[in-house]
Amino acid sequence: MRTSKPVTVTLGDMAERVDALRVSGRYASTSEVLRAGVRALEREQAALDAYMREEVRKALDDARPSIPSEDVFARLKRLHQEEAKAAERGV
């Protein structure tokens, strides 16, 4: 009895790349290529999650005083206005 569920996937222009990987002999089937792709996405997501957790941990451990959000947004607004003016001048 089959333990996996068949899935239909539309690859568009990526189909040629999948076929090239299969034809190269690196993978025995299109399914193997797609499973490898999903595993790669899982590794990428796990690495991104770990990075984000570390960045949040560093931010929470930072002993510097917090900056009020009003100050941050005011500074961002000023920077945006300066960049808009520079763009108008062609700088």
Side-chain angles (χ1 to χ4, degrees):
M1 174 179 244
R2 177 179 232 162
T3 59
S4 61
K5 175 184 169 191
V7 177
T8 301
V9 179
T10 303
L11 297 173
D13 63 344
M14 293 183 79
E16 290 179 15
R17 289 184 265 173
V18 170
D19 286 340
L21 288 167
R22 186 182 45 76
V23 170
S24 74
R26 289 185 71 177
Y27 299 92
S29 67
T30 298
S31 292
E32 281 189 15
V33 175
L34 296 178
R35 283 191 295 269
V38 170
R39 285 190 295 272
L41 285 171
E42 288 173 337
R43 285 190 305 272
E44 181 181 297
Q45 188 62 54
L48 180 59
D49 290 347
Y51 171 78
M52 293 301 291
R53 278 191 298 275
E54 177 62 16
E55 291 300 305
V56 167
R57 186 201 58 74
K58 287 192 296 190
L60 292 173
D61 290 347
D62 191 339
R64 294 177 293 180
S66 295
I67 301 170
S69 61
E70 297 83 15
D71 295 350
V72 173
F73 284 110
R75 181 169 184 241
L76 288 172
K77 185 175 180 178
R78 280 193 310 275
L79 288 172
H80 177 70
Q81 289 170 341
E82 290 170 10
E83 288 179 2
K85 287 179 185 176
E88 287 175 4
R89 292 190 307 258
V91 175

